[in-house]
Amino acid sequence: VEAKGVASYYPKDVARSRNEAIEAAQRDAVEKVSGVFITSETQMRNFDLVSDEVLSNSKGFIRSYKVTKEAQDSPFYNVFIRATVVKAAFIQNFQDALENLYRRVGKPRIMLVVQESGSNGAEGDKSPELDVVEKEIRKILLKQGFTFVDARVGTKGGLSDQDRLLTAARTSKAEIVMLGHARVGSRGTLQKFNVVEASVGLDVIRADNGQVMASDVATGKGLHINEDTATVLALQKAADEITPQIMEQVSYQWIKDKNEGIRVEMVVKGASFGDVLALRRALANTVKGVRKVRQKSFKNGVAL
């Protein structure tokens, strides 16, 4: 990675200027590498705690560096470097920082329901193994310490109704519901090998308030002499692709909400504008645990 560092120029201490500029360049190099893994402003980059913890250890991710150019440009000192950044060390440090946040707020308990169907929409068509996507997602997240709640508990009426699922999730103490659909279809043959493509879409919903925390789609291809095996491989690849994508969004929303608190919507009826104003002030100034109060609407004596 090629990077640039800028520091204040101290005429009486050039060595200090140079060292600070090199440290800034090293940080810039690590930030460039972090952009490979953290690409969305709505995802993990928004975690200031994670970002600060990771980037404060910039030197630990750099195996070696070489200064390619340096110059004093008053009032600054500029240094350009070519650095070798260890990706594995960065990823591990990032995961450790995220795990520290999870230890503080706890990991959400998950209810997972993914319906699999073939290209013609028939339930179970082209899906020789039951719940391939569900099993793959569970395998990945169980290794990361997440807990799953069986979706069959309290859902005797079937799993197709979202409201019924959310009710069952609340009853069984699940905090988020992963609701998705997997579709597979044949893409012909390639040198006697069957080619199967799978697409998986997932929505993640908070059980307590129905908030959509994450939504994404991923695809995967399977290649095998046996078409059933190719189908399983395609579904597994799609699941492997979508799981980290969806969990980045979930992690951001979950930790953000836990850090910022829970939003409560209150409906006030039969109130004057003065009553509502007095209530807002009382909630904000005298009720313990209230961080912020925002009036969304007021019409015909009804405030939200």
Side-chain angles (χ1 to χ4, degrees):
V1 178
E2 292 185 350
K4 177 185 178 181
V6 180
S8 297
Y9 176 63
Y10 306 100
K12 296 182 180 181
D13 195 350
V14 178
R16 176 185 173 186
S17 302
R18 186 174 190 272
N19 288 338
E20 290 184 358
I22 289 175
E23 288 181 1
Q26 291 175 333
R27 185 181 177 97
D28 181 50
V30 172
E31 285 180 329
K32 286 183 176 179
V33 174
S34 75
V36 175
F37 307 101
I38 313 167
T39 56
S40 173
E41 288 299 326
T42 62
Q43 295 176 10
M44 304 310 294
R45 180 172 289 174
N46 282 346
F47 284 153
D48 293 336
L49 291 174
V50 172
S51 178
D52 290 344
E53 187 170 340
V54 169
L55 295 178
S56 65
N57 297 320
S58 295
K59 291 182 180 179
F61 309 131
I62 294 180
R63 178 178 294 154
S64 61
Y65 73 91
K66 179 181 179 181
V67 176
T68 57
K69 182 182 177 182
E70 56 185 300
Q72 178 265 322
D73 182 17
S74 187
F76 303 110
Y77 196 88
N78 300 319
V79 169
F80 296 83
I81 67 170
R82 181 177 292 112
T84 301
V85 181
V86 183
K87 293 181 181 179
F90 169 80
I91 296 172
Q92 185 60 51
N93 191 282
F94 185 86
Q95 290 175 340
D96 290 344
L98 179 59
E99 191 63 32
N100 287 336
L101 284 178
Y102 264 131
R103 273 196 288 270
R104 188 170 74 241
V105 303
K107 292 182 177 179
R109 291 180 291 275
I110 303 170
M111 177 178 283
L112 173 64
V113 178
V114 179
Q115 295 179 337
E116 297 177 7
S117 64
S119 56
N120 62 2
E123 197 74 21
D125 183 32
K126 294 285 187 184
S127 185
E129 297 288 338
L130 292 176
D131 306 327
V132 176
V133 175
E134 286 190 13
K135 290 176 181 177
E136 189 69 13
I137 293 175
R138 283 197 190 96
K139 181 181 75 174
I140 295 170
L141 296 183
L142 284 172
K143 287 182 178 179
Q144 297 178 15
F146 286 90
T147 302
F148 283 85
V149 174
D150 193 339
R152 292 169 294 185
V153 177
T155 54
K156 295 180 180 179
L159 299 175
S160 59
D161 188 292
Q162 181 173 310
D163 291 335
R164 186 181 291 114
L165 266 177
L166 292 176
T167 300
R170 290 189 287 268
T171 302
S172 57
K173 307 300 183 183
E175 290 153 317
I176 65 173
V177 176
M178 286 187 171
L179 186 61
H181 187 274
R183 185 181 298 275
V184 293
S186 174
R187 295 296 178 263
T189 58
L190 180 65
Q191 297 180 351
K192 297 183 180 181
F193 286 88
N194 292 284
V195 181
V196 176
E197 184 174 69
S199 64
V200 176
L202 274 181
D203 292 318
V204 182
I205 306 167
R206 280 191 64 143
D208 56 356
N209 59 13
Q211 171 196 352
V212 177
M213 302 178 69
S215 184
D216 216 330
V217 178
T219 60
K221 284 187 178 181
L223 184 69
H224 200 272
I225 293 177
N226 183 280
E227 187 175 8
D228 288 347
T229 303
T231 298
V232 173
L233 291 173
L235 288 167
Q236 288 175 334
K237 287 181 180 179
D240 293 344
E241 182 75 19
I242 199 170
T243 302
Q245 296 174 5
I246 212 80
M247 288 310 296
E248 280 188 357
Q249 299 177 53
V250 171
S251 296
Y252 170 71
Q253 290 293 340
W254 182 257
I255 295 176
K256 177 176 177 290
D257 289 348
K258 288 293 184 178
N259 282 335
E260 294 183 354
I262 299 172
R263 185 179 67 180
V264 177
E265 290 192 349
M266 179 184 295
V267 179
V268 182
K269 298 180 179 180
S272 67
F273 184 79
D275 293 334
V276 174
L277 183 60
L279 176 60
R280 287 171 52 190
R281 288 173 176 168
L283 288 171
N285 299 327
T286 65
V287 179
K288 185 179 179 180
V290 175
R291 178 174 295 180
K292 184 179 181 181
V293 180
R294 182 166 66 94
Q295 182 178 317
K296 298 183 70 175
S297 65
F298 179 74
K299 186 177 180 181
N300 297 328
V302 179
L304 178 60

